[in-house]
Amino acid sequence: MDKQTKKYVLENIKRKSIKKIAQELGIKERKIKKFLQKKDYKDNGSGSQQTTHVSQPPRLFVTLSLILIVVMGFIAFGNSLKGDLLWDDHYLVKNNIYIRSLGYIKDIFTENIEPAYRKRFFFYRPLQVLSYIPDYSIWGLNPIGYHFTNVMLHILVALSVYWLVAVMFRDNILSLITSLLFVVHPLHI
């Protein structure tokens, strides 16, 4: 379409149907529809057109949703920052020689952690033990750091749930509700 035809379509689209404009201009309806799709217009069946923005959720809503998920994560699990290392943390953190040096990375993937504290305990979770290496290098044996890392990882998973539901269902309200339920659910304690 030339510039003048496009201008005519845009000026008359709110008053006339696509069919009527196509007849007046002597062009095919699909050409007008294609042009309007590029301009983000949608036919609502009444002959008039209206602008829609279905493909992009409002940025403010998404931003506020993400902030709310983070805040609710800290409200639900922030009190764990004051906690101490508990029963299995003594084996997994305090007495675990594998987290104290990068030289043990091969052993983390090939053995259970029982040689680390000389007790029969069949425990093979290499990614968990691997995640303790940067924690130990930053925080040492301070439990606040380990709990902070866990809270942050949980919040990141909740944000991922938001993204996944938004992609699958294209519904930001459902995404928000789902991720809020996930981030505060007591089962994750």
Side-chain angles (χ1 to χ4, degrees):
M1 274 195 274
D2 62 14
K3 199 175 192 178
Q4 199 172 13
T5 304
K6 290 177 183 177
K7 183 179 177 186
Y8 180 82
V9 169
L10 291 174
E11 288 174 351
N12 291 288
I13 197 65
K14 292 185 180 182
R15 293 180 277 140
K16 301 177 184 178
S17 69
I18 293 174
K19 186 176 183 178
K20 179 80 173 160
I21 294 171
Q23 288 172 347
E24 290 174 357
L25 294 173
I27 59 175
K28 297 188 182 216
E29 289 179 46
R30 66 183 151 97
K31 219 174 187 182
I32 296 173
K33 287 179 182 177
K34 193 173 182 180
F35 166 70
L36 291 174
Q37 282 177 341
K38 288 180 183 176
K39 289 290 189 184
D40 204 18
Y41 278 85
K42 183 180 178 188
D43 185 0
N44 65 7
S46 65
S48 66
Q49 311 296 319
Q50 61 189 131
T51 303
T52 60
H53 296 285
V54 176
S55 61
Q56 291 292 325
R59 277 188 161 177
L60 181 63
F61 180 81
V62 172
T63 304
L64 291 176
S65 296
L66 298 179
I67 291 170
L68 182 61
I69 294 165
V70 171
V71 168
M72 292 304 291
F74 275 111
I75 288 172
F77 296 104
N79 63 345
S80 72
L81 297 176
K82 296 182 243 171
D84 201 9
L85 295 176
L86 299 175
W87 52 283
D88 65 344
D89 294 331
H90 296 286
Y91 301 116
L92 298 174
V93 178
K94 276 188 174 180
N95 301 328
N96 191 348
I97 62 170
Y98 291 146
I99 69 171
R100 297 171 191 238
S101 169
L102 292 175
Y104 291 111
I105 288 181
K106 180 181 86 57
D107 297 330
I108 290 171
F109 288 97
T110 59
E111 300 177 16
N112 63 45
I113 65 166
E114 85 181 46
Y117 56 92
R118 293 166 178 65
K119 189 174 182 182
R120 287 304 270 175
F121 185 69
F122 296 104
F123 187 88
Y124 182 74
R125 294 184 192 159
L127 295 179
Q128 180 182 2
V129 175
L130 194 64
S131 75
Y132 292 145
I133 293 172
D135 278 341
Y136 182 80
S137 68
I138 295 170
W139 308 106
L141 293 176
N142 187 350
I144 291 173
Y146 295 90
H147 296 309
F148 179 75
T149 299
N150 287 336
V151 170
M152 290 306 297
L153 288 172
H154 181 65
I155 289 170
L156 287 173
V157 171
L159 294 172
S160 298
V161 168
Y162 180 90
W163 172 80
L164 179 66
V165 173
V167 167
M168 288 176 60
F169 298 102
R170 299 193 188 283
D171 186 345
N172 288 305
I173 294 173
L174 179 64
S175 300
L176 177 62
I177 292 168
T178 305
S179 58
L180 284 175
L181 283 173
F182 179 87
V183 81
V184 300
H185 199 282
L187 179 66
H188 298 292
I189 295 173

